[in-house]
Amino acid sequence: MPDTVSVGAFPPRESRVKMHTLLDLRGNIPTFIHITDGKVADVNVLDELLPEAGAFYVMDRGYIDFERLYRFTLESAFFVMRTKSNVLLQRRYSHPVDPSAGVRSDQTVILASLASASAYPDALRKVSYVDAETGKRLVFLTNNFSLPAATVAALYKQRWQVELFFKWIKQHLRIKPSMAPAKTP
């Protein structure tokens, strides 16, 4: 979702902003843009979104907050995101996989820590995938149990469209550096 760009002629820590963007992949058109100070945690932007039933939200690890993500489930919206290595999961069931599609495992899991399980009491799906181009192993969490595991991985790969959108912005829009120092609290 976000991209951090320097917008001032001052030390990078003082002059960063984040542009959190929801991109409709059917037309590569932004449907939501929220600009924050660079110090604002990415996950706070989830409070600004109104999940749309049936829609898929593809996010990076900076958006993991199980209480906020549970809102998506309650609103019948879906999310796909890479998980963090410190998220404690307990496997409930392993589903058959197609290793030729890069899928290494497809599991139904529950959150194992008390705080996380209280915030998100439903089961999740954990998909482990090896990218054929890079050889990198990626582990995804989703609340969608009906899509094939390879499709879950393909949805996350579509997140690259957001990066291409930011690249276009940087190449085509003229952003003048600020001449005033960043505000300090």
Side-chain angles (χ1 to χ4, degrees), residues 57 59 63-74 77-84 87-95 105-113 115-128 139-146 152:
Y57 296 84
M59 301 173 261
Y63 293 88
I64 290 182
D65 178 300
F66 292 110
E67 184 175 348
R68 288 174 168 118
L69 290 172
Y70 194 55
R71 234 184 68 228
F72 286 74
T73 299
L74 294 175
F78 302 106
F79 59 84
V80 174
M81 61 191 340
R82 285 183 60 194
T83 189
K84 294 179 180 179
V87 172
L88 299 175
L89 301 169
Q90 184 177 30
R91 180 174 47 98
R92 290 292 188 201
Y93 183 77
S94 291
H95 307 277
S105 68
D106 182 4
Q107 302 171 336
T108 298
V109 297
I110 58 169
L111 294 163
S113 81
S116 295
S118 295
Y120 196 107
D122 290 359
L124 288 164
R125 185 176 179 196
K126 176 184 165 188
V127 174
S128 181
V139 181
F140 307 110
L141 284 181
T142 183
N143 61 342
N144 181 281
F145 290 86
S146 60
V152 170

Side-chain angles (χ1 to χ4, degrees), residues 13 17 21 53 63 68 72 111 126 139-140 161-162 167 170 174 176:
R13 286 252 172 246
V17 295
T21 306
Y63 293 88
R68 288 174 168 118
F72 286 74
L111 294 163
K126 176 184 165 188
V139 181
F140 307 110
Q161 296 304 315
V162 172
K167 182 179 178 182
K170 292 173 189 176
R174 294 176 189 232
K176 296 182 180 182

